[in-house]
Amino acid sequence: MSNLVIVESPAKAKTIQKYLGSDYEVLASMGHVRDLPKSKLGVDVEHDFQPQYLDIKGKGDLIKKLKQTAAKSSHIYLATDPDREGEAISWHLSQMLGLNEEDPNRVTFNEITKSGVQSGMEHPRKIDLDLVNAQQARRILDRIVGYKISPFLWRKVRRGLSAGRVQSVAVRIIVDREKEIEKFKPEEYWTLDAKMRKKGYQKQFGATFYGDQKGKIKLHNKEEADAILAKLQDAEYIVSNVKKSIRRKSPAPPFITSTLQQEASRKLGFQARRTMKAAQELYEGVEVAGMGAVGLITYMRTDSLRISEEARAAATGYIRDTWGDKYLPEKPRYFKSRASAQDAHEAIRPTMPDLSPDKVKDSLTGDQYKLYKLIWERFIASLMANAVYDTVQADIAAGEYIFKASGRTVRFDGYTVLYEESKDDEEKEGGALPPLEKDDPLILKELKGNQHFTQPPPRYTEASLIKALEEKGIGRPSTYAPTITTILAREYVERDGKALKPTVLGDVITQLMKDHFKDIVDVGFTAHMEDDLDNVEAGKINWVDTLHQFYDGFEQTLEKAEKEMDGTRVKIPDEETDEVCELCGRKMVIKVGRFGKFLACPGYPECKNTKKLVKETGGFCPKCGARVLLKKSKKGRPYYGCENNPRCDFMTWDEPLKETCPKCGKSLFRKKGKNAKIYCANEECGYERAVEKK
């Protein structure tokens, strides 16, 4: 009789089987085997929220195989993922297979390597019911919110809508930001920007008007700027003060789930879902040439910055061998996790720090390689020495006024030899200044006033939304990606380039939720619920009491909303477009039908004109001159095609630009990737140029 090990995925099963050998049989449960029923609430709210769990439809053969194999196995180990969800899956498997909950049959692997698997198998424990109850409480909370509010939305707005405990707050955050943008009133301001050089030096440097000896002067309009420009006509520019200093910059900590999703969005353009898919594959194991199946990163759902001493030592050795001792910090660097972090796992790191991305590149898919490289570089850099800069700040007197110039030069590159973190709002830092000393005369080469306007807060991107959710305590590492996927799929939010903006539907639903289910879309209330779930996991509070605390007030809120909206139905305003109805001249609006969105004339029933909804790109077909439209393939991949299809067969994966070709006047296209370029698609032209780097 062999030992049975049950994991969640076939990839993980294959990797673990290699390390355990023939005395073990490793099978995959393919995720959950039991869940609440799809067709009804499945929770007895009258009797302490007793859940009704059913075998998941379509998994009958798999469950039968698991039971048959378990019956002939000498010992059964439950090795699902090391988090709440994984603990719950193990508990369901235990219930289904009739195992004793007190038996030590639960094993966890922080990394799928030989040492990681052996360590996990050497330390079996019993199922942690606090973890299970925290997952049950979350699942039941989400089921109650979804199954109680969604039918209400169907009756009061339209069928097919849904509400969610975390998704509703995420949509509200995006809607509130849009309201801020709409209310924002830009204010004019001016800067005076100079270019100058030191005598004996040809290279120019920039300086910006600051004010006078009394302090900073703000310029609100052209008149104020011109008045000072007039006074500066014949001014001499002399260095009045120079401040030199040394600045040390520390590396960013290794990744946790949220920062990985943010950085992958900024640096790789990955959506959160794409990031987590590649990370899951790297964790579960990939076939590496010469090594076989091996997990390349530690568990990717974590909020802890802890690093094992074994990994720290391996990384330190790699840094010493590759760059030398001077690239190691004077003292080992430790990172402090957030106060709310569960600290159940390490930070996300490579399982073998000396396995550089180049060594495994040929064994990985494009996404796997890019993400592994990002994780590996971030981790190694986090344990390297600080970067050191020489900084210079100079005050420049110009008559009664002062200009300021700043610059920096690298004294020691430190960790930046390998990696630097991206930011949503990166500020450009000045380069090197010439050697400036007090009383040095300067030669003015250019001085002009520049008009500016204050900008509204930016729309959220996936990266900045995840950051906001984390900072506000909404959701947990495992929920960020599915939350964003859900609000996009429900069409409460849509993409505008990288930005996320609310749809008319999202705006209407959020306002209805604010009016009638204030707590559900309240950031503080939702964050408090997350804290309660963490306390359930820690064994500090009872999960049933937590559900009662929520539901008793929620039930009254739902009854009140039903009374207040009795006989009322909310109309979703039509979204007007720039497309003009060729039959009557009205601007067409976007409607939603059985087969999705379409254009319709608002003059219905007098005018019944409808059209397909198309997205213009601003580009024109190089073959027939018609508009090039954004389309989607059968697999959902965006591409660009001629509006005259099928009469015209032009299509491309490359983005059309509004810019026209300087040679033939036709639309230019942008090709992305390694061989990025801007080119003319007119075969008789041949114009192309390199893409300018930002």
Side-chain angles (χ1 to χ4, degrees):
M1 295 177 75
S2 64
N3 299 296
L4 172 63
V5 178
I6 304 177
V7 298
E8 285 174 70
S9 77
K12 195 173 171 184
K14 182 180 178 183
T15 311
I16 292 171
Q17 183 72 70
K18 182 184 90 168
Y19 296 127
L20 294 180
S22 58
D23 288 340
Y24 292 84
E25 184 171 0
V26 186
L27 296 179
S29 70
M30 309 299 288
H32 278 277
V33 289
R34 299 195 309 173
D35 196 7
L36 298 173
K38 281 190 173 184
S39 56
K40 59 180 180 179
L41 179 63
V43 178
D44 190 348
V45 294
E46 302 293 330
H47 297 89
D48 286 341
F49 307 97
Q50 189 65 35
Q52 178 193 358
Y53 291 120
L54 303 176
D55 291 349
I56 292 174
K57 193 174 180 180
K59 287 200 169 184
D61 291 342
L62 173 64
I63 290 170
K64 184 178 179 182
K65 182 179 180 181
L66 289 172
K67 286 181 176 179
Q68 288 174 344
T69 310
K72 60 184 182 182
S73 299
S74 57
H75 199 94
I76 299 164
Y77 295 96
L78 305 171
T80 50
D81 283 350
D83 57 13
R84 283 180 191 167
E85 205 71 24
E87 202 74 15
I89 293 172
S90 282
W91 179 74
H92 283 297
L93 286 166
S94 172
Q95 297 281 305
M96 187 186 78
L97 299 175
L99 305 183
N100 187 339
E101 285 183 4
E102 295 301 313
D103 286 348
N105 51 28
R106 173 76 169 120
V107 293
T108 58
F109 310 126
N110 187 50
E111 57 184 59
I112 312 297
T113 58
K114 187 172 184 179
S115 61
V117 170
Q118 288 177 343
S119 174
M121 295 300 292
E122 288 168 4
H123 300 92
R125 58 170 173 80
K126 66 179 184 179
I127 290 171
D128 187 333
L129 290 179
D130 288 331
L131 270 175
V132 174
N133 289 335
Q135 189 275 341
Q136 283 199 105
R138 175 184 289 279
R139 183 77 181 96
I140 291 169
L141 270 174
D142 292 344
R143 173 55 67 102
I144 288 171
V145 171
Y147 266 68
K148 294 286 187 176
I149 298 183
S150 296
F152 176 83
L153 295 178
W154 290 20
R155 293 191 298 274
K156 304 305 177 185
V157 188
R158 77 168 187 225
R159 288 189 66 81
L161 299 180
S162 72
R165 194 177 53 84
V166 175
Q167 77 177 51
S168 296
V169 178
V171 175
R172 179 189 177 158
I173 289 171
I174 295 169
V175 168
D176 286 351
R177 175 59 58 87
E178 196 70 15
K179 301 292 185 194
E180 284 184 67
I181 295 169
E182 289 169 3
K183 290 177 182 177
F184 182 82
K185 293 181 180 178
E187 294 180 5
E188 181 183 7
Y189 70 98
W190 284 66
T191 58
L192 303 182
D193 302 305
K195 286 184 180 177
M196 50 188 75
R197 68 177 178 86
K198 181 179 176 180
K199 287 182 179 178
Y201 291 81
Q202 291 301 311
K203 188 177 179 182
Q204 298 178 12
F205 64 92
T208 302
F209 174 76
Y210 171 74
D212 57 20
Q213 296 295 337
K214 295 177 183 177
K216 188 172 179 64
I217 296 175
K218 292 183 178 180
L219 304 175
H220 301 94
N221 51 52
K222 188 176 188 301
E223 289 72 25
E224 291 179 4
D226 286 345
I228 292 178
L229 284 171
K231 292 181 181 180
L232 291 168
Q233 282 275 327
D234 302 314
E236 291 184 354
Y237 291 78
I238 299 169
V239 177
S240 59
N241 187 47
V242 177
K243 183 182 178 183
K244 296 178 181 178
S245 60
I246 295 173
R247 179 187 166 204
R248 289 175 172 82
K249 189 177 178 184
S250 300
F255 286 126
I256 58 176
T257 307
S258 61
T259 54
L260 175 63
Q261 291 172 357
Q262 290 169 53
E263 191 75 340
S265 173
R266 296 188 196 105
K267 281 199 166 174
L268 307 178
F270 284 13
Q271 295 172 12
R273 188 177 181 182
R274 183 177 175 187
T275 298
M276 295 311 289
K277 179 178 182 293
Q280 184 86 34
E281 292 162 357
L282 291 170
Y283 164 70
E284 291 182 345
V286 292
E287 287 286 338
V288 176
M291 298 176 70
V294 60
L296 292 179
I297 65 169
T298 53
Y299 193 55
M300 66 287 154
R301 293 189 182 93
T302 178
D303 54 9
S304 170
L305 294 174
R306 182 167 46 84
I307 300 168
S308 74
E309 290 305 314
E310 182 184 4
R312 182 185 297 278
T316 298
Y318 183 88
I319 294 165
R320 181 180 288 115
D321 294 343
T322 306
W323 293 285
D325 282 330
K326 67 178 182 178
Y327 280 87
L328 289 169
E330 292 180 8
K331 293 180 180 179
R333 186 177 283 110
Y334 290 84
F335 298 96
K336 190 175 180 181
S337 301
R338 285 174 177 267
S340 61
Q342 295 171 321
D343 202 45
H345 315 292
E346 288 186 58
I348 303 170
R349 62 166 176 83
T351 56
M352 292 164 277
D354 59 347
L355 195 63
S356 66
D358 288 342
K359 291 179 182 177
V360 295
K361 184 175 183 180
D362 293 340
S363 301
L364 304 180
T365 65
D367 281 7
Q368 289 170 351
Y369 170 72
K370 288 175 186 175
L371 199 67
Y372 180 69
K373 185 172 185 287
L374 193 68
I375 293 167
W376 183 87
E377 288 180 349
R378 173 86 162 219
F379 173 70
I380 298 294
S382 74
L383 300 178
M384 294 176 73
N386 291 343
V388 184
Y389 301 95
D390 289 315
T391 65
V392 180
Q393 290 181 314
D395 290 352
I396 300 160
E400 62 185 282
Y401 297 112
I402 297 171
F403 281 72
K404 286 186 179 285
S406 63
R408 74 171 191 177
T409 53
V410 178
R411 175 178 283 206
F412 175 59
D413 53 8
Y415 74 92
T416 64
V417 71
L418 179 64
Y419 173 88
E420 282 193 81
E421 184 184 21
S422 300
K423 299 285 185 185
D424 286 319
D425 50 356
E426 287 187 274
E427 292 183 9
K428 291 183 180 178
E429 294 182 293
L433 293 179
L436 299 177
E437 300 296 337
K438 193 174 185 298
D439 298 326
D440 279 349
L442 302 172
I443 300 168
L444 180 69
K445 302 299 291 183
E446 181 182 273
L447 175 62
K448 60 181 180 180
N450 289 306
Q451 183 187 40
H452 308 273
F453 291 92
T454 55
Q455 296 297 310
R459 281 178 175 147
Y460 284 105
T461 61
E462 279 205 8
S464 59
L465 179 62
I466 289 168
K467 185 178 180 181
L469 291 171
E470 182 185 39
E471 288 175 346
K472 296 174 190 295
I474 307 300
R476 286 298 180 260
S478 61
T479 64
Y480 302 134
T483 295
I484 292 172
T485 300
T486 299
I487 62 178
L488 286 163
R490 298 292 184 197
E491 297 186 344
Y492 297 151
V493 171
E494 63 186 7
R495 297 187 191 278
D496 184 7
K498 280 194 171 183
L500 300 172
K501 69 173 186 177
T503 60
V504 174
L505 176 61
D507 198 18
V508 168
I509 296 299
T510 298
Q511 190 56 54
L512 188 148
M513 295 289 287
K514 280 183 182 180
D515 292 341
H516 299 284
F517 301 97
K518 188 173 63 176
D519 284 348
I520 301 298
V521 290
D522 181 78
V523 171
F525 180 85
T526 306
H528 178 69
M529 284 303 307
E530 294 291 356
D531 291 340
D532 282 349
L533 292 171
D534 289 345
N535 286 328
V536 170
E537 179 174 329
K540 294 178 180 178
I541 58 176
N542 181 276
W543 71 286
V544 174
D545 292 344
T546 301
L547 290 172
H548 272 298
Q549 191 177 1
F550 167 80
Y551 185 74
D552 295 346
F554 173 76
E555 192 175 27
Q556 293 171 11
T557 300
L558 187 62
E559 289 175 5
K560 184 181 176 185
E562 290 282 7
K563 289 177 183 176
E564 290 176 347
M565 290 199 70
D566 186 33
T568 306
R569 193 169 177 86
V570 178
K571 187 178 187 305
I572 300 170
D574 292 328
E575 189 178 346
E576 190 176 81
T577 70
D578 292 329
E579 187 84 15
V580 176
C581 175
E582 64 272 24
L583 300 183
C584 69
R586 295 182 177 92
K587 283 191 175 181
M588 302 190 83
V589 296
I590 297 173
K591 296 275 190 181
V592 180
R594 285 178 60 198
F595 304 106
K597 293 182 177 180
F598 64 96
L599 288 174
C601 180
Y604 183 88
E606 294 86 17
C607 180
K608 298 180 180 179
N609 189 20
T610 61
K611 290 182 182 180
K612 283 185 179 179
L613 180 63
V614 296
K615 287 194 176 181
E616 292 192 46
T617 62
F620 294 92
C621 177
K623 289 187 174 183
C624 70
R627 296 178 300 172
V628 174
L629 307 176
L630 175 63
K631 302 185 176 186
K632 281 191 177 180
S633 68
K634 289 181 180 178
K635 292 186 177 180
R637 184 181 173 188
Y639 72 96
Y640 305 94
C642 180
E643 69 172 327
N644 286 336
N645 181 276
R647 295 195 306 276
C648 177
D649 63 355
F650 175 76
M651 71 77 62
T652 179
W653 301 109
D654 301 331
E655 178 189 3
L657 305 177
K658 292 181 181 178
E659 184 184 352
T660 54
C661 176
K663 282 180 69 176
C664 70
K666 295 195 174 183
S667 290
L668 292 175
F669 291 77
R670 184 199 305 271
K671 182 180 180 65
K672 296 181 180 179
K674 286 184 179 178
N675 303 313
K677 64 179 180 180
I678 291 173
Y679 70 96
C680 180
N682 178 8
E683 295 177 358
E684 299 174 1
C685 177
Y687 172 82
E688 64 177 57
R689 70 170 189 264
V691 177
E692 290 182 15
K693 291 185 178 179
K694 293 183 180 178

